[in-house]
Amino acid sequence: TQDAQKIALPVTLLLAVLVRWCVALHGYSGQGKPPMYGDYEAQRHWMEITTHLPPSKWYFYDLGYWGLDYPPLTAFQSWACGFIANLIDPEWVALDSSRGIESHSSKLFMRASVLVLDLAIFVPAVVLFFRSRRVPTSWVTRQASTFSVLLQPCLLLIDHGHFQYNSVMLGFLIWAVVFAASDSYVSMAVAFCCALMFKQMALYYAPAVFFFLLAKCFQSNHGFMLFIKLGLAVCLTFGAMLSPWIQSPDQLMQILTRVFPVARGLYEDKVANIWCAVNVVFKLRSMYSIDDLLLLATAATALAFAPSCIHLFVVVKRHAGKPLPAVRDNIVRLLNYSLLNSSLAFFLLSFQVHEKSILLPLAPALLLIDDEPWAVNWFVQTSLFSMYPLLFKDGLVIPYVVMAVGWSVLRSCPVCPADKQTPRVVFVLQWLTTLVMVALHAADAFIPPPASLPDIYVVLNAVFSCAMFVMFLLYFNYRQFTLLSRPSAEQALINKLKAE
C-alpha cells in the first residue's frame, strides 16, 4: 500500500541504527589491554595528535605509538572529530595524557562518531543505489535489498564492534557507482579519489575504476574533453587533500612511506588469502626477501585482476553513444562485477593484507544481491566466518553469532530475491560448507588445540576461507564473462525495450 511505502524507509533506517548501536554495546579492539590497546585507541589517538599538532607533524609524531598511517582524508576526519571532542571534554583528546582513556563518556562519543559518519555517507549511497536502479522490481524487493545491505554483518561488526570507519570509504565507493549509473563520470572520479584518500585499501578498486572511465573516454563523442575533465578532477582532488604538505617533498615521502608500509611484510596475522595458506607448507617469508615477495605479489595480483578489467574496458567501449536504459543498467552491473573481481584478487594475492580487507570485495558484491542472491549470501557467510578469530579477540562472539543467524533468517524471507534456477547441488554445497564452519567453531570451543599447534583452528579457518574465496573469484569472473557481455543477450534486451 501507499502508506507502507511511506514508512518503509524510515523504519528501515531506524532498525539499521538500532542494530548498529546494539553491536556498539559490546567490546572493541584492544579494550583494557595496555600499553598499545588496539584500533579503537589508534583512531582516538589520531584525533589527539591532529587536534593539538600542525599538519607538518601529523605523520611524524611518536610513530612507535599508533603513528598516523592512513591518507590525508582520514587525518582530516580525525581532526574534525577531535575538534568536536575537545569542545565537549578536552580530557578525551589531551595530547599524550589521554592515551588509553576508556571513560564511558569518551567511548560514547567515539561510537557516536562512527554512527554519524555511517549515516552521513554510507547509508544514503546504499538507499540511492537501489532506488535509482532501472531494473523492473517491486518496491518491496528494493526495500528488502536495501535493508539487507544496511544490515550486512561484516561491516557492522568491524566498524561498530571492532571499531573503524570503513563505512566512509565504502560509502564513497558506492557513491562512485551511483554517479556512474547517472553518467556523471567526473563526479564518479572525485568520489573514488575521496575513497582512496580516506583509506589506501581503496586501491583494490582502482583497476576497475580506471578501465571503466578510460573506456568512457573512448566511447563518448567528446571523449578527449572527458579525459581532460577527469584528469583535472583527479589532480585537483588529490591536490586539495595534500595541500598542507604539497610544498615539502620530505612530507609527501613520509606520507607515502606511512601509507604503504612495505617493511611490515607479506601479511599480518592469519589472513584468509593465498600467501598465508601457502605459507602453511612453504615458508615464503623466510625463503624470500621482502623485495622479492613484493614483486611476486604485485605480478600475481595484476594477472588476477587483468582479465576482468580488460573485459570491462572492451565491453564498455563497444557501446558507443548513449545506450538504452536497460543496457546502461547492465553496464553498471558489469562495473560492479569488475569492482568485485578486482578487489577480491587484491585480497587474495596483494602485499600486506588484513583480515578486515575482505570488506572491500563485499561492498560491490552486495550491490549485486538482486542478481546473485545465493552467491552473495554464501559470500557474506564465508567472509564473516573468516573474520571470527579477530572478532573473538575483541569479545564479539555473541554479536557474531546473533548477526550470522540474523543474516541467514533475513535472507530467507519471501520478499528477498531468490534464484530459482540455481542447481540443487549448489545448495547442498552451501549447507556442507556451513556444517564445516559450525564444526570448526565447535572444535575450537570444546577441544583444546595440541600444545605443538596452538593456532591450528585459526590456520584451518584461514585455509578453508581462502579456498572458498578462490572459488568465488572464479565464479564471479565466470558470471561477468558469460552473462553480461554476450551480444545475443544485449540484443534481446534492446529488442524487448523497442517492442515495449
Side-chain angles (χ1 to χ4, degrees):
T1 66
Q2 197 71 23
D3 291 339
Q5 292 188 44
K6 289 180 179 178
I7 67 170
L9 182 58
V11 170
T12 294
L13 296 179
L14 286 173
L15 287 173
V17 171
L18 176 62
V19 173
R20 281 161 166 75
W21 201 252
C22 287
V23 172
L25 295 175
H26 293 80
Y28 52 82
S29 173
Q31 183 174 10
K33 297 178 181 178
M36 293 300 293
Y37 301 92
D39 280 350
Y40 172 93
E41 170 62 10
Q43 300 287 344
R44 190 213 59 79
H45 178 62
W46 296 346
M47 297 179 192
E48 170 191 335
I49 62 175
T50 54
T51 300
H52 294 286
L53 298 174
S56 61
K57 295 184 178 180
W58 288 358
Y59 287 92
F60 288 89
Y61 187 76
D62 197 1
L63 300 182
Y65 186 82
W66 297 116
L68 182 58
D69 57 2
Y70 276 6
L73 191 53
T74 288
F76 296 143
Q77 170 258 315
S78 298
W79 172 83
C81 290
F83 178 81
I84 297 171
N86 194 52
L87 291 177
I88 299 172
D89 189 341
E91 290 185 2
W92 296 348
V93 289
L95 189 63
D96 296 336
S97 62
S98 65
R99 292 186 179 185
I101 185 172
E102 293 183 308
S103 65
H104 176 75
S105 57
S106 66
K107 289 190 285 187
L108 181 63
F109 172 81
M110 294 292 288
R111 292 297 198 187
S113 69
V114 177
L115 180 61
V116 169
L117 288 169
D118 192 347
L119 294 174
I121 299 174
F122 180 79
V123 172
V126 171
V127 172
L128 189 59
F129 173 81
F130 285 103
R131 288 204 163 193
S132 62
R133 292 196 70 192
R134 299 178 179 88
V135 177
T137 55
S138 68
W139 72 269
V140 176
T141 300
R142 290 173 186 261
Q143 198 62 43
S145 299
T146 302
F147 190 54
S148 298
V149 175
L150 293 181
L151 288 184
Q152 74 100 339
C154 300
L155 180 60
L156 268 62
L157 287 169
I158 292 299
D159 273 20
H160 299 274
H162 174 86
F163 199 92
Q164 283 195 330
Y165 295 90
N166 294 290
S167 59
V168 178
M169 172 190 63
L170 300 178
F172 281 129
L173 183 275
I174 298 174
W175 275 113
V177 175
V178 170
F179 289 133
S182 61
D183 300 330
S184 303
Y185 305 120
V186 174
S187 298
M188 177 190 180
V190 172
F192 179 69
C193 287
C194 290
L196 190 57
M197 292 300 280
F198 190 82
K199 283 200 173 187
Q200 61 269 40
M201 285 78 77
L203 191 65
Y204 288 19
Y205 303 124
V209 173
F210 171 79
F211 279 102
F212 178 83
L213 290 175
L214 183 63
K216 288 296 180 182
C217 292
F218 281 96
Q219 170 187 329
S220 173
N221 293 330
H222 305 286
F224 181 73
M225 184 58 66
L226 176 61
F227 181 81
I228 297 298
K229 289 179 179 178
L230 290 172
L232 286 173
V234 171
C235 291
L236 290 174
T237 304
F238 278 108
M241 295 186 189
L242 290 168
S243 57
W245 308 276
I246 205 164
Q247 294 183 340
S248 172
D250 291 339
Q251 292 276 344
L252 293 176
M253 184 56 64
Q254 177 69 1
I255 294 174
L256 186 65
T257 303
R258 294 296 301 164
V259 169
F260 297 103
V262 175
R264 291 184 185 177
L266 188 58
Y267 59 86
E268 291 187 20
D269 294 327
K270 307 293 189 298
V271 61
N273 76 347
I274 288 176
W275 305 126
C276 185
V278 169
N279 197 71
V280 174
V281 179
F282 302 101
K283 306 302 178 184
L284 298 175
R285 291 187 291 186
S286 59
M287 294 169 60
Y288 301 99
S289 66
I290 288 181
D291 291 340
D292 291 338
L293 291 174
L294 177 61
L295 182 62
L296 174 64
T298 303
T301 305
L303 288 174
F305 72 65
S308 172
C309 293
I310 293 173
H311 175 260
L312 172 70
F313 173 80
V314 171
V315 174
V316 174
K317 183 175 179 292
R318 189 168 62 199
H319 291 280
K322 288 281 186 180
L324 293 168
V327 176
R328 189 182 304 151
D329 192 72
N330 251 9
I331 295 299
V332 175
R333 290 172 63 212
L334 181 67
L335 171 62
N336 286 328
Y337 274 106
S338 192
L339 289 168
L340 167 55
N341 290 322
S342 174
S343 54
L344 190 51
F346 268 85
F347 176 80
L348 287 169
L349 290 160
S350 66
F351 197 86
Q352 187 55 218
V353 173
H354 297 262
E355 311 99 309
K356 303 179 288 291
S357 299
I358 194 60
L359 294 174
L360 281 94
L362 267 177
L366 286 158
L367 300 184
L368 294 165
I369 198 166
D370 291 341
D371 307 299
E372 303 279 0
W374 69 265
V376 172
N377 294 345
W378 198 359
F379 188 37
V380 170
Q381 291 170 350
T382 306
S383 301
L384 182 59
F385 175 75
S386 74
M387 295 193 300
Y388 175 76
L390 174 67
L391 299 173
F392 175 81
K393 287 191 294 185
D394 295 339
L396 293 168
V397 174
I398 292 176
Y400 167 85
V401 174
V402 172
M403 294 293 289
V405 174
W407 170 263
S408 298
V409 172
L410 172 63
R411 294 306 301 169
S412 301
C413 291
V415 296
C416 291
D419 190 348
K420 298 179 180 179
Q421 298 179 342
T422 304
R424 185 175 180 82
V425 65
V426 171
F427 293 106
V428 173
L429 287 173
Q430 188 171 3
W431 274 106
L432 287 175
T433 56
T434 301
L435 289 175
V436 171
M437 296 177 197
V438 172
L440 281 173
H441 281 321
D444 187 16
F446 300 108
I447 304 175
S452 59
L453 299 169
D455 297 328
I456 183 64
Y457 294 123
V458 178
V459 172
L460 288 175
N461 181 305
V463 172
F464 172 80
S465 300
C466 175
M468 294 294 296
F469 291 144
V470 170
M471 181 195 73
F472 285 122
L473 179 63
L474 295 174
Y475 171 78
F476 286 124
N477 269 281
Y478 164 79
R479 292 288 283 180
Q480 177 180 333
F481 274 83
T482 62
L483 296 183
L484 291 179
S485 62
R486 289 183 296 188
S488 57
E490 293 168 358
Q491 193 60 47
L493 281 170
I494 295 171
N495 293 337
K496 179 180 178 181
L497 195 64
K498 287 180 176 179
E500 293 174 352

